[in-house]
Amino acid sequence: MKGATSPKKKKKKITGKKVLKWIALTPVSPLLLLWWLLRMLWKGWCGFVHLLGFKRLDGYILKKFLTTYFFLILIIIIIAIIFDFNEKIDKITGTGATWGEIIFDYYANFIPYFAVMFSPLFTFIAVIFFTTNLASHSEIIAMKSTGMSFRRLLVPYMLGAGIIAGLTFGLGGWVVPHGNVAKNAFENKHVKKRQMVDVAENVQMQVDTGVIAYISFFDNRTKAGSGFILTKFEEKKIVSNLEAETIQYDTLADHKYSWTLRNYKTRTVRSTRDILGHGERKDTTLLMEPKDFFYAYGQQETMTIDELNYFIDRQRLRGSAGLATFEVEFHKRFAAPFAAFILTLIGVSLSSQKRKGGMGTSIGIGLALTFAYILFQTVSSSFAINEGWNPALAVWTPNILYFFIAAWYYWRTPK
């Protein structure tokens, strides 16, 4: 009939069973999972900063800090890539390197390596740059006029330093070492043309407590050697001796440390007499691998923190020399991220006040302190490697010294 109203459509209720059915029938795409993960991370981050009592002003400072830091890193990386490519273009193209190798094997790993190396420097510069800008526009004065103390002002700065330190630690501890394997291989092949060392002579190491192994000659290409001697000591006395003309590492074995000895002789020392033995072939397990006989240039940069720790403990047990380089690298993985907090504190204390010289004075003092820090760290590390200084003390000394400098700047800054 005319004028009759059409019946209202009933709204369908969304029940839990329907939601589960839609999830079961809908294919989950990687982009959907990524969106969900980022959403969860953002909610977790918001909850975390809420617990810290974060306000909009803190978010403003944190955003300025991180965007300035990443912008400076991006600019310097672009400049470094241009100069590096311009310097090495003849060597790279002359050896037949493909663009895929140049981009993915070299520069894709060059970027995080360079970013981690100069992260403390650009943390300091970023803090000074944008904090001086805030001070010159009287924004920090306005913050303090509302009752905000200098200690409270440091909260977003320290959180930003914590984010940078976490990224530096994660990249430098695990990501960069894996990338350095491909980067170093590319440099050795196309740039430096450094041949890999495949032969070792007169290798001696402790493979177990009181067990000394000696190999006169070893070829890493064939995984075979000659002139092998294995001597076991107890209370500084020889209790057994094993000699073999040749030794071969079994690369097809189900477990590591599997070796085959040929034309061997054994001697077991007893209180009254010696027991002698010999044979043509002997399969045995020795706690050593062919890679233990070679120290490649820059090898410490290709190891993660876990691998460095295991390698140092193992080589120390064997009585190996030349471990200072690896110990210095191990402690640098922890000292470099920690420096972000110290340099951030110095930067804020130095640039939070208006100066007659403006931004130039703060940046000049900041750059002088930063380059002095890098120089001091390089010199102390060199003394640890070449002069026998304690590696941990040598690496952490710049941080300890600059901690007192940061405390002094913090103490003299109006609160």
Side-chain angles (χ1 to χ4, degrees), residues 90-123:
D90 293 333
K91 296 179 180 179
I92 291 175
T93 55
T95 54
T98 64
W99 280 107
E101 292 176 328
I102 295 172
I103 295 173
F104 296 106
D105 290 348
Y106 184 64
Y107 283 111
N109 298 308
F110 174 86
I111 292 172
Y113 173 80
F114 191 87
V116 169
M117 179 186 297
F118 290 99
S119 180
L121 170 63
F122 289 105
T123 301

Side-chain angles (χ1 to χ4, degrees), residues 124 128 346 350 355 359-372 402 409:
F124 199 26
I128 289 179
I346 296 176
L350 182 65
R355 295 179 180 274
M359 187 181 296
T361 303
S362 298
I363 291 180
I365 297 173
L367 287 175
L369 286 171
T370 307
F371 284 114
Y402 270 67
Y409 270 110

Side-chain angles (χ1 to χ4, degrees), residues 63-130:
K63 181 182 177 182
K64 284 281 188 180
F65 183 9
L66 294 179
T67 52
T68 306
Y69 168 80
F70 286 114
F71 176 76
L72 291 175
I73 284 285
L74 179 62
I75 292 298
I76 198 64
I77 283 176
I78 293 173
I79 295 173
I81 289 176
I82 293 173
F83 276 95
D84 185 79
F85 183 76
N86 185 57
E87 180 185 354
K88 298 175 181 176
I89 183 171
D90 293 333
K91 296 179 180 179
I92 291 175
T93 55
T95 54
T98 64
W99 280 107
E101 292 176 328
I102 295 172
I103 295 173
F104 296 106
D105 290 348
Y106 184 64
Y107 283 111
N109 298 308
F110 174 86
I111 292 172
Y113 173 80
F114 191 87
V116 169
M117 179 186 297
F118 290 99
S119 180
L121 170 63
F122 289 105
T123 301
F124 199 26
I125 294 176
V127 170
I128 289 179
F129 185 81
F130 90 88

